[in-house]
C-alpha cells in the first residue's frame, strides 16, 4: 500500500460515516481518529439493529465495523447491507477492523463483502491509508447466491485455459485462443 | 451454475475526499495523535480493569470453566490487544493476542489449560506494570507456550500475526 503524502489534502466535510463498535473504548478511539480527519457527519452505533436503522434512514459513504463485535452476526450484517439493493448504502465502502479472529470465522470474515480488512491494533495512519485505498476502489460489485460485495478478483485475467468465464464481462477465450496468443507473443 | 450479477459503481467517497478544502494529511495525523493522547489515561485504566477481569474469571471458574466464560475471556483479551496497541504498549498487545490464540485453540479442542492461561495473565500484569523486563522474550516465550500446550496441525505464524502492524496486515476481502 502506497505511503500517504503528508502534503495531500483530503476533505471529509461532506462524507457520511457509520461506526459500528460495541466496545466503548474502541469506539471512542475510532471517533477520535475520524474527527481528527475532519469527519463531521458520523453515527456511532453499538448494535447491529441500531446500525440497520441508521442505514435505513440515512446515506453513508464509509462504514467502519469492529469485526470482533460480541454479536456473532457481524458478518451477516455486511452481507445484509450488500443485499439491501438500495444505493448508495449497499455500495458503501466497508472497512472491517479485526483483532484476533476465531478459526471458525476466518472464512466468514473474508467472504463477508467488506472492501478492506484492517488488522488491529489500529493507528491513525493505518485507518487513513485504508480509507484512501477504499476511496479509490474501482472494482465492480458482485452479487451471487453465495457472495455479495466487491469483486474479489483484483486483476483482469482470463478464465482458466479451456474454460469459458462465468461472468458476463469475462473474456470468452478458448484454449486454442490462449495458445495462439502465447505463440504470437513468443511465450512457451 | 448460479447467476452472478456485476454492477459497476462510481465510488462517491473518492469524489468527496478530493473536493477543494479539507485538511492536509500530515496535519490530520498530528491531530489524531493529539486526540488519542487525550484519551490515553482512560485507555490505561481500561487495560488494568480488563486484566483484573481476566484474573477474576480464571480464579473463580477453576480448571474447567464453561464455554461462556471461555468466550468472555477471549473477548476481553481481544479488547486488551486492540487498546494496548493504540497506546503504544505493543508487547502487552502481542501478549493479549497470544492469549486469544491460546483460548481459541483450546476451545477448538474442547480443552482447557489453566496453568497456561494463568501464565498469560501474569505476563499481562508484568508487561503492564514494568518497563525493566526483557519484554520481547516474555512474548516470545508465550508463543512457545501455546505451541507446546495446544499445537495445531497447520500452524499459523502467531508472532507474525500479533506483530503485524496495521500498515501491512490488511488484506482486501
Amino acid at each position: 500500500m502506497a505511503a500517504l503524502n503528508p502534503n495531500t489534502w483530503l476533505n471529509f466535510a461532506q462524507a457520511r460515516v457509520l461506526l459500528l463498535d460495541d466496545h466503548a473504548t474502541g469506539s471512542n478511539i475510532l471517533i477520535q481518529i475520524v474527527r481528527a480527519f475532519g469527519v463531521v457527519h458520523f453515527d456511532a452505533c453499538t448494535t447491529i439493529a441500531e446500525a440497520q436503522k441508521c442505514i435505513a434512514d440515512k446515506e453513508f459513504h464509509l462504514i467502519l465495523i469492529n469485526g470482533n463485535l460480541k454479536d456473532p452476526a457481524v458478518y451477516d450484517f455486511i452481507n445484509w447491507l450488500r443485499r439491501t439493493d438500495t444505493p448508495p448504502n449497499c455500495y458503501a465502502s466497508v472497512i472491517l477492523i479485526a483483532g484476533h479472529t476465531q478459526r471458525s470465522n476466518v472464512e466468514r470474515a473474508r467472504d463477508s463483502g467488506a472492501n478492506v480488512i484492517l488488522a488491529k491494533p489500529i493507528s491513525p495512519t493505518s485507518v487513513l491509508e485504508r480509507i484512501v485505498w477504499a476511496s479509490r476502489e474501482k472494482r465492480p460489485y458482485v452479487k451471487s447466491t453465495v457472495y455479495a460485495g466487491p469483486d474479489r478478483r483484483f486483476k483482469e485475467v482470463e478464465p482458466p485455459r479451456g474454460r469459458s468465464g462465468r461472468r458476463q464481462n469475462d473474456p470468452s477465450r478458448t484454449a486454442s485462443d490462449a495458445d495462439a496468443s502465447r505463440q504470437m507473443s513468443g511465450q512457451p | 451454475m448460479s447467476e452472478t450479477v456485476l454492477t459497476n459503481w462510481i465510488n462517491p467517497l473518492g469524489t468527496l475526499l478530493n473536493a477543494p478544502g479539507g485538511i492536509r494529511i500530515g496535519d490530520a495525523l498530528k491531530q489524531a495523535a493529539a486526540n488519542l493522547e487525550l484519551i490515553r489515561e482512560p485507555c490505561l485504566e481500561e487495560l488494568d480493569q480488563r486484566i483484573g477481569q481476566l484474573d477474576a474469571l480464571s480464579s473463580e471458574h477453576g480448571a474447567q470453566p464453561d464455554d461462556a466464560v471461555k468466550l468472555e475471556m477471549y473477548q476481553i483479551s481481544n479488547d486488551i490487544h486492540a487498546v494496548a496497541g493504540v497506546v503504544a504498549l505493543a508487547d502487552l498487545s502481542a501478549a493479549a493476542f497470544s492469549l486469544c490464540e491460546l483460548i481459541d485453540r483450546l476451545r477448538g479442542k474442547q480443552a482447557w489449560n489453566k496453568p497456561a492461561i494463568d501464565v498469560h495473565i501474569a505476563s499481562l500484569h508484568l508487561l503492564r506494570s514494568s518497563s525493566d523486563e526483557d519484554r520481547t522474550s516474555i512474548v516470545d516465550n508465550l508463543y512457545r507456550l501455546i505451541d507446546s500446550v495446544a499445537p495445531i496441525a497447520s500452524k499459523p505464524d502467531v508472532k507474525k500475526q500479533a506483530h503485524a502492524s496495521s500498515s501491512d496486515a490488511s488484506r482486501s476481502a
Side-chain angles (χ1 to χ4, degrees):
Chain A
M1 189 160 295
L4 297 169
N5 178 349
N7 292 317
T8 299
W9 289 75
L10 292 176
N11 191 342
F12 282 91
Q14 298 304 319
R16 294 189 168 277
V17 180
L18 177 71
L19 310 174
L20 172 55
D21 196 337
D22 60 358
H23 177 217
T25 303
S27 180
N28 193 14
I29 287 167
L30 267 181
I31 290 170
Q32 298 306 323
I33 290 175
V34 298
R35 273 191 175 150
F37 296 165
V39 172
V40 284
H41 305 292
F42 69 87
D43 288 80
C45 300
T46 56
T47 66
I48 288 174
E50 218 180 309
Q52 284 176 320
K53 186 170 185 323
C54 276
I55 284 167
D57 293 343
K58 300 176 188 174
E59 291 188 356
F60 292 98
H61 307 106
L62 175 65
I63 301 177
L64 303 173
I65 301 174
N66 176 8
N68 301 105
L69 284 190
K70 310 296 182 280
D71 187 340
V74 60
Y75 308 116
D76 298 331
F77 166 72
I78 303 172
N79 187 45
W80 166 85
L81 171 74
R82 296 305 189 203
R83 292 182 186 279
T84 54
D85 287 335
T86 49
N89 288 349
C90 65
Y91 302 126
S93 297
V94 173
I95 299 178
L96 185 66
I97 303 171
H100 186 279
T101 302
Q102 296 174 59
R103 270 173 188 71
S104 53
N105 284 332
V106 168
E107 283 188 14
R108 294 183 69 203
R110 187 198 63 196
D111 297 337
S112 63
N115 295 74
V116 185
I117 298 177
L118 170 61
K120 292 181 187 177
I122 60 170
S123 69
T125 303
S126 67
V127 173
L128 191 55
E129 278 176 347
R130 294 328 183 275
I131 292 174
V132 169
W133 190 90
S135 76
R136 294 173 182 159
E137 181 82 88
K138 288 190 172 66
R139 287 180 291 166
Y141 279 76
V142 175
K143 197 162 79 171
S144 73
T145 51
V146 293
Y147 174 75
D151 193 339
R152 288 175 289 189
R153 298 174 304 177
F154 277 84
K155 293 177 182 172
E156 288 291 334
V157 293
E158 63 198 58
R161 289 181 71 182
R163 296 176 63 182
S164 57
R166 292 181 300 156
R167 296 177 180 143
Q168 290 166 353
N169 66 344
D170 273 334
S172 56
R173 301 180 68 176
T174 62
S176 55
D177 290 337
D179 288 341
S181 169
R182 286 192 188 88
Q183 284 167 8
M184 287 175 71
S185 64
Q187 295 176 31
Chain B
M1 186 177 291
S2 61
E3 186 187 353
T4 300
V5 178
L6 275 176
T7 306
N8 284 302
W9 171 253
I10 297 170
N11 187 347
L13 187 60
T15 310
L16 292 171
L17 298 192
N18 289 324
I23 186 170
R24 249 200 297 255
I25 284 178
D27 295 334
L29 294 176
K30 274 184 201 159
Q31 185 59 53
N35 287 4
L36 291 178
E37 188 57 32
L38 291 175
I39 61 167
R40 181 178 169 80
E41 277 307 314
C43 286
L44 294 175
E45 285 168 18
E46 156 136 0
L47 289 174
D48 292 336
Q49 184 200 350
R50 301 299 248 170
I51 296 169
Q53 284 178 325
L54 286 175
D55 254 338
L57 286 168
S58 184
S59 56
E60 283 168 19
H61 293 274
Q64 273 307 325
D66 63 30
D67 201 54
V69 172
K70 294 175 185 174
L71 182 60
E72 186 178 358
M73 293 179 75
Y74 174 84
Q75 288 166 338
I76 291 170
S77 308
N78 232 340
D79 290 344
I80 294 170
H81 166 60
V83 175
V86 172
V87 293
L89 296 174
D91 294 315
L92 181 64
S93 178
F97 186 93
S98 176
L99 180 52
C100 289
E101 177 68 16
L102 174 62
I103 295 172
D104 190 35
R105 289 189 194 186
L106 291 173
R107 287 181 75 215
K109 293 171 184 288
Q110 311 285 319
W112 197 244
N113 188 317
K114 189 172 186 310
I117 297 287
D118 288 345
V119 164
H120 271 79
I121 297 172
S123 300
L124 296 177
H125 278 296
L126 188 62
L127 291 166
R128 174 70 187 93
S129 61
S130 166
S131 57
D132 300 334
E133 307 299 326
D134 182 355
R135 304 169 75 88
T136 307
S137 73
I138 292 173
V139 177
D140 285 345
N141 285 324
L142 292 178
Y143 298 143
R144 285 195 200 102
L145 176 64
I146 61 174
D147 280 340
S148 158
V149 301
I152 54 172
S154 56
K155 191 170 68 178
D157 190 339
V158 181
K159 186 176 179 182
K160 186 178 172 188
Q161 285 177 30
H163 281 297
S165 71
S166 300
S167 62
D168 63 10
S170 87
R171 54 215 183 271
S172 183

